[in-house]
Amino acid sequence: MRMPFRAARAALFALALGAGAVSAHEGHDHGDAPKAAPATIAPRGTSSTDALELVAVARNGQITVFIDRAATNEPVTVAQVEAETPEGAAHAAPAPDGSYRLDAHWSEAPGAYDVLFTVTVDGATELFPVSLTVPEPPPAPPSGPAAAWHAGLAVAHDFRQHLREADPMPFLIGGAGFLLGIVATLAIRRRPLVPAVAVLLLAAALLAAPVAFAGEGHDHGAPQAMQMAAPGPQDLAQRMSDGAVFVPKPTQRVLSLRTLVTVQAALSRTTELPGRVVPDPNASGVVQSSVGGRLSPPESGLFPRLGTRVSKGDVLATVTPPVQAVDVSDMRQRQGELDQQIAIVERRVERYRKLAPGGAISQVQLEEAQAELKGLIDRRSALDGVRAQPEALTAPVSGIVAEANAVAGKMASPGAVVFQIVDPDRLWVEALSFDAPAAAADATARLADGRVLSLAYMGAGLADRSQAVPVQFAIRGTQADLRTGQFVTVLAETDARQTGLALPRTSVVRGGNGQSIVYEHTAPERFEPREVRVEPLDASRVLVVSGLTPGRRIVTQGAELLNQVR
């Protein structure tokens, strides 16, 4: 009879382990262990004036002070900071990251503390009263035997949870076969069946408990093995439930967030015009061949490459005119005639020289014969030069080679452009306007990479070009990496004026549903989104027509990064 009692004890022990699984019902949570506390920010206090704003953060027995200018959010790294603390006066020393730090062991104890900071910047002194509240630390996790007991219960709970999540049919079939095997063994050995049947019923109830009482979505609240210690205070940028963004001061300095205060003003309306970069006609030129011929490099043996800087008068290439067979025959015939005439005139001049001293020939006749001889000789020399001397192609202006079509041995037709010379420091923008802009109004242009060009109005055409009026502007200053033919968007002023707030284009970002959003700096570490309606003002600014009022601090740099905080 020992075996039935042993089996009964084992079944009772297994039933005790499974009691938690059998007694829990849907929606009930019997776990009493506390959940891990969410990450929070470090204790901090803020204060601000019209010129400055101050944030004090308590961490690890130190107070870190951040000072920024209220209007621009620019960090103040050169200042004198004194503090009146619960332990007396203290001096905040500057840190390498631009903040100021002072020892404050009193901040490690929970409680509410009032600290008065005195900040001197550029000879002006400001007072900043700050209230710091240090919360109670979270409870320590269990340790020792209690922690080991909770760990063991967690293992049992994980096993039961695995059984509930698994398919119950194979488990029940296997358990039923096991029970039938035990009954058959006892029957063969002629053992009493009453205790065995009781044990089998208990085991069956245990096996069926995870399936019978556990359903989808049940939480049986098993104790957790060891509660993780609550994480310490963290300063993480995060988006709040109301849509505002909390950004700690260290993160603001990493993102280089800058702001400006909005001011209402009457500004001219602008119109967007398509345009492209063109060379200044007074500082550019083309190199063309006046006669057809074969191209050859200059004396250096190399054609100038694209981007090579050349000076006015430099020989860039030569053109050797081809001589046809008929032309060669005509030239030889003409040369023979000239040689014959030169020989006749030379004999005449020689005879006149002998007769002139005796008075038989006048001096005038001698001079005329000498002039005729000189003309014939010059014509003969010119005819020889036509056959041998190529045409030199020289640079008409100083600049760089913007276009080159020179290849050794290539036949150049008369009037063909071989080189184009452009001065990169003197470029224009030609735009097409469908509405005539304001007379003599300057403009700005925006490139595809976001760069902005300042333009000076040069003039507008009277003849339409594709139902538009060409308008030309000169680019002010020197801009690197500009090329002729590059497309730009020109924003030119019109005569109409309107009232609004001017903001940089970098201040406006796109919201989740496509609306235009700007971020207002409402507190030292808080930024709130504002929906606005904007119109183009120039290449670098937009005009806020509605959604903002004057005197608001709006983010002008880093708004795109701020919009990605979640």
Side-chain angles (χ1 to χ4, degrees), residues 277-340:
V277 179
V278 297
D280 184 351
N282 298 317
S284 63
V286 295
V287 178
Q288 295 176 299
S289 174
S290 60
V291 297
R294 193 176 303 277
L295 289 175
S296 300
E299 294 181 359
S300 62
L302 297 174
F303 291 112
R305 302 185 306 274
L306 290 175
T308 302
R309 183 169 291 276
V310 297
S311 300
K312 182 178 180 180
D314 290 349
V315 178
L316 308 182
T318 59
V319 178
T320 303
V323 180
Q324 302 295 332
V326 176
D327 297 333
V328 172
S329 176
D330 293 342
M331 292 176 63
R332 288 178 178 176
Q333 181 179 357
R334 186 60 181 165
Q335 288 175 348
E337 293 176 355
L338 290 175
D339 292 340
Q340 183 178 2

Side-chain angles (χ1 to χ4, degrees), residues 166-251:
D167 187 3
M169 292 307 298
F171 182 74
L172 292 177
I173 294 174
F178 174 71
L179 295 178
L180 291 178
I182 294 177
V183 173
T185 303
L186 293 178
I188 293 173
R189 295 184 178 183
R190 297 180 181 181
R191 299 285 186 178
L193 298 179
V194 175
V197 171
V199 172
L200 294 176
L201 290 177
L202 289 175
L206 178 61
L207 292 173
V211 180
F213 295 93
E216 181 181 357
H218 291 203
D219 186 1
H220 296 277
Q224 299 179 2
M226 290 190 65
Q227 288 290 337
M228 298 283 297
Q234 304 179 47
D235 288 347
L236 299 177
Q238 52 187 302
R239 189 172 293 273
M240 313 304 289
S241 58
D242 59 353
V245 180
F246 170 79
V247 184
K249 278 298 179 183
T251 305

